[in-house]
Amino acid sequence: MTFFQTYQTELIASLFIIVFLIIIRSISKKLIYKLGKKTGINDARIHLISRYATVTLILLALLIETFIFGAQLKDLALVFSSVFAVIGIALFAIWSILSNITSGVIMFFSFPYKVGDKIQIHDKDFPIEGIIEDIRAFQLHLRLDNGDLVTYPNNLMLQKAVTLVKKDAIDEGVDAI
């Protein structure tokens, strides 16, 4: 018997899963793009969030494929517990990076400010006021009034109070809170 004859039903199920996840990916990509354009988010951030969704779907497909080809739940539990133990130790070392990525995803869907807005960050140690130039996966780029560029971590943006400086106050040169 050949491989294709032996695993014919598994291969057909895999094909249906792959087609289904490709359809889900295209729908989610369109929804992310529409949401990003509707809220005025730049194309680089839209593309980044779309990549995150694609990677999540690929991992989900791999998990489903293991069940299709006969993996038992107890076998997967052993593999996942071993892998997550190693990953957990590694991720503990880089938790700050992961919190910034997670904050970047949250900011994509619910951040009330966009590129070009002038904001004031109420940090007791280092208060900042500037214009948002870019919102990236790890940090926000703010251009200060003196021309300096400040990168501010995304996770701190969600932890600190932020005020939008009124646009008419910018035009008149008056600070407004």
Side-chain angles (χ1 to χ4, degrees):
M1 293 189 109
T2 66
F3 175 79
F4 294 108
Q5 290 173 337
T6 306
Y7 294 104
Q8 182 177 5
T9 57
E10 290 86 354
L11 291 172
I12 291 171
S14 296
L15 182 65
F16 282 124
I17 293 297
I18 290 171
V19 168
F20 178 72
L21 289 177
I22 288 173
I23 292 169
I24 295 295
R25 180 186 173 268
S26 66
I27 291 170
S28 67
K29 196 171 184 178
K30 286 179 184 177
L31 288 175
I32 290 169
Y33 185 79
K34 283 183 182 180
L35 179 66
K37 287 300 179 185
K38 182 180 177 183
T39 56
I41 296 172
N42 65 2
D43 289 337
R45 286 192 62 216
I46 294 170
H47 184 67
L48 181 70
I49 298 298
S50 179
R51 269 195 270 158
Y52 289 160
T54 300
V55 168
T56 302
L57 286 173
I58 288 171
L59 292 175
L60 182 64
L62 290 174
L63 180 66
I64 293 171
E65 289 298 318
T66 58
F67 284 116
I68 289 175
F69 280 95
Q72 299 297 318
L73 190 57
K74 65 179 182 171
D75 298 333
L76 286 179
L78 177 66
V79 170
F80 279 121
S81 65
S82 301
V83 168
F84 283 132
V86 172
I87 290 175
I89 293 169
L91 293 182
F92 181 74
I94 58 168
W95 69 270
S96 178
I97 293 173
L98 290 176
S99 73
N100 281 319
I101 291 173
T102 304
S103 298
V105 171
I106 292 169
M107 287 169 58
F108 178 81
F109 290 107
S110 65
F111 194 57
Y113 313 111
K114 58 184 181 259
V115 174
D117 286 347
K118 186 169 187 174
I119 61 170
Q120 182 178 20
I121 301 170
H122 303 281
D123 188 349
K124 69 177 184 174
D125 297 327
F126 188 61
I128 301 174
E129 184 174 313
I131 297 174
I132 299 174
E133 277 196 359
D134 196 7
I135 303 172
R136 301 209 171 184
F138 300 105
Q139 75 270 352
L140 186 85
H141 290 185
L142 289 172
R143 183 68 62 182
L144 303 182
D145 291 335
N146 64 5
D148 290 345
L149 179 68
V150 175
T151 57
Y152 202 78
N154 285 341
N155 62 350
L156 292 181
M157 282 299 297
L158 295 180
Q159 294 175 13
K160 305 290 181 186
V162 179
T163 304
L164 177 66
V165 178
K166 294 183 181 175
K167 293 199 183 286
D168 57 348
I170 294 172
D171 295 336
E172 295 172 9
V174 178
D175 288 336
I177 296 178

